[in-house]
Amino acid sequence: MTKTWRPATQLVHGGTLRSQFGETSEAIYLTQGFVYETSEAAEARFKGETEGFIYARYGSPTNDMFEKRMCMLEGAEDARATASGMAAVTAAILCQLKAGDHIVAARALFGSCRWVVETLAPKYGIECTLVDGRFLENWENAIQPNTKVFFLESPTNPTLEVIDIAGVARLANQVGAKVVVDNVFATPLFQKPLELGAHIVVYSATKHIDGQGRCLGGVVLSDKAWIDEHLHDYFRHTGPAMSPFNAWTLLKGIETLPLRVKQQTQNAAAIADFLAENGKVAKVIYPGRKDHPQADIIAKQMTGGSTLVAFEMKGGKEAAFALQNALEITKISNNLGDSKSLITHPATTTHKNLTDEARAELGISPGTVRYSAGIEDTDDLLEDFARALKQVIG
Ligand SMILES: *Cc1c(COP(=O)(O)O)cnc(C)c1O
């Protein structure tokens, strides 16, 4: 029955496990362990002969509900909920690799993701090549006999470049490599990497899935065979498990995901159009606009715009800072996907550790600003931006 549900229904009812009390809202099972009626029952559980939980590091009921709901939304067979988005990314990549293997990754990655492939993986003998992921020939040219994983996010942070996921998946399949997609910026509503041919999808649930700034979380989704072969034991024995309390917070958050993302997208689109007409703004990059440089790929693989807007102030860092400081409703923060509108200056915050050259490669200039739309009233946001831009000199 659940297969035919549409996302808004899945996200309210999917995966619910009701206890004997028949509670309406999902219960929080804050327990480390589980007890068995008999020694024989414990033996059978450990042998895998009976269904059930063993230890909360391996899995527990509230986490199970969150994982099942995410699987339904993503169209994945299985998932593991992790303590943060970075725990999900690190597990998804490292669990399937060994010394001597090679990763090809897009260079436009969330900062910590880039650290995992560029700095951490080589310490364990796993090589990595970073490419400009916008062009398929770059992926193809980077392939080596030992290439096992392709890793990308699309749209990218912070400049909202887009990567042809189906194209990358075709190349990966030719050499038997797995494609891992960090789908945070698109959200599970606007892009389905598994349908496009990717093998593994990861999320920072900290972003739109919580969407209300409360807790960290992550999730890795794939087919059952890959999870059984690669992630299952890694997850059990290295311990990136999510707290059941956070799983519950995220379960409740995800119920309203479609409502929030819809309003955020409407707000982002309105702000993008408004900024594009403003004389103090040099350029706007928004996946929902026809003037996005890769509008053709967006039309092929995304079903909605974005809750984020990237733009460049003509007056550089000074103008970017002045705008951020003058905004009242939109708060300065490096987070994104929140119900509150947030704005960040990547060059001095999220991407400050990159060299000037690396930033330039990613299209991050001193005037680049990233806006994450909240769920506020559209007109209030537009008025706030109009007022703040007037205060920017030049
Ligand atoms: C935030 C983010 C992460 C990391 O998630 P955390 O929950 O902060 O660990 C990874 N990838 C992308 C694209 C993100 O935006």
Side-chain angles (χ1 to χ4, degrees):
M1 60 168 180
T2 50
K3 275 243 149 96
T4 63
W5 286 349
R6 292 166 184 85
T9 312
Q10 290 169 347
L11 292 177
V12 175
H13 294 287
T16 299
L17 287 171
R18 288 213 161 75
S19 79
Q20 71 273 31
F21 301 115
E23 63 279 353
T24 308
S25 173
E26 296 74 5
I28 312 177
Y29 293 93
L30 268 178
T31 182
Q32 297 168 341
F34 302 86
V35 298
Y36 313 94
E37 289 287 330
T38 61
S39 317
E40 289 77 10
E43 184 181 29
R45 186 75 55 86
F46 271 75
K47 277 188 178 163
E49 291 169 358
T50 57
E51 288 276 311
F53 299 102
I54 291 176
Y55 189 51
R57 170 151 43 78
Y58 302 174
S60 60
T62 312
N63 293 37
D64 192 61
M65 288 191 258
F66 173 67
E67 288 163 354
K68 289 214 164 73
R69 202 169 278 185
M70 281 302 304
C71 281
M72 225 178 252
L73 177 62
E74 198 66 46
E77 288 174 2
D78 205 358
R80 292 291 183 275
T82 56
S84 69
M86 283 321 303
V89 169
T90 308
I93 291 176
L94 294 187
C95 78
Q96 56 180 324
L97 294 175
K98 60 181 187 319
D101 289 343
H102 176 240
I103 305 169
V104 183
R107 67 189 183 189
L109 289 177
F110 181 78
S112 298
C113 296
R114 187 156 160 167
W115 184 85
V116 167
V117 292
E118 197 178 22
T119 307
L120 180 69
K123 283 200 203 177
Y124 298 94
I126 300 163
E127 278 183 279
C128 174
T129 306
L130 292 173
V131 298
D132 180 346
R134 289 173 299 172
F135 307 103
L136 283 179
E137 61 266 29
N138 295 342
W139 293 90
E140 191 167 14
N141 293 338
I143 294 172
Q144 301 179 7
N146 55 346
T147 301
K148 294 288 163 54
V149 165
F150 284 23
F151 178 49
L152 62 97
E153 62 183 62
S154 180
T156 63
N157 176 39
T159 48
L160 308 178
E161 288 175 356
V162 170
I163 294 172
D164 179 352
I165 297 173
V168 173
R170 266 195 309 278
L171 290 173
N173 286 334
Q174 283 167 15
V175 295
K178 297 289 185 192
V179 178
V180 180
V181 175
D182 179 340
N183 206 36
V184 166
F185 272 54
T187 82
L189 297 170
F190 289 162
Q191 183 167 272
K192 300 266 188 250
L194 298 178
E195 286 175 12
L196 295 166
H199 306 91
I200 298 117
V201 183
V202 292
Y203 287 98
S204 165
T206 313
K207 311 295 165 53
H208 305 82
I209 292 172
D210 175 29
Q212 288 153 89
R214 298 166 296 194
C215 64
L216 300 180
V219 61
V220 184
L221 302 116
S222 187
D223 56 74
K224 195 171 174 320
W226 183 86
I227 297 222
D228 284 350
E229 186 182 345
H230 296 286
L231 186 60
H232 181 81
D233 284 339
Y234 179 99
F235 183 85
R236 284 184 164 215
H237 303 307
T238 64
M242 175 184 280
S243 152
F245 184 83
N246 288 1
W248 178 81
T249 308
L250 295 165
L251 258 177
K252 303 313 288 179
I254 205 174
E255 289 185 347
T256 56
L257 181 75
L259 299 172
R260 286 183 285 104
V261 168
K262 189 173 166 208
Q263 180 69 19
Q264 287 172 314
T265 305
Q266 181 184 312
N267 286 343
I271 295 289
D273 289 344
F274 174 79
L275 292 171
E277 298 300 316
N278 190 283
K280 291 174 185 168
V281 176
K283 87 174 165 193
V284 172
I285 306 172
Y286 181 64
R289 278 175 63 89
K290 286 201 201 71
D291 60 2
H292 188 287
Q294 296 153 291
D296 53 331
I297 302 174
I298 292 167
K300 267 198 320 193
Q301 70 184 25
M302 294 182 72
T303 54
S306 174
T307 66
L308 291 124
V309 182
F311 60 100
E312 197 177 310
M313 295 297 292
K314 282 184 184 160
K317 175 181 169 186
E318 204 183 327
F321 272 32
L323 171 67
Q324 294 198 143
N325 292 343
L327 285 165
E328 271 170 18
I329 298 171
T330 296
K331 303 298 176 205
I332 301 168
S333 173
N334 44 290
N335 206 4
L336 62 100
D338 202 271
S339 54
K340 295 178 171 63
S341 280
L342 304 174
I343 198 158
T344 191
H345 182 249
T348 53
T349 60
T350 53
H351 291 71
K352 77 163 175 27
N353 289 338
L354 294 180
T355 60
D356 289 347
E357 196 189 7
R359 270 196 297 273
E361 272 176 10
L362 300 179
I364 304 169
S365 74
T368 301
V369 179
R370 186 193 75 192
Y371 168 70
S372 167
I375 60 172
E376 300 95 338
D377 184 278
T378 313
D379 290 334
D380 283 337
L381 294 172
L382 287 168
E383 283 166 23
D384 196 27
F385 263 89
R387 191 192 44 71
L389 276 162
K390 283 208 184 91
Q391 293 181 32
V392 177
I393 298 157

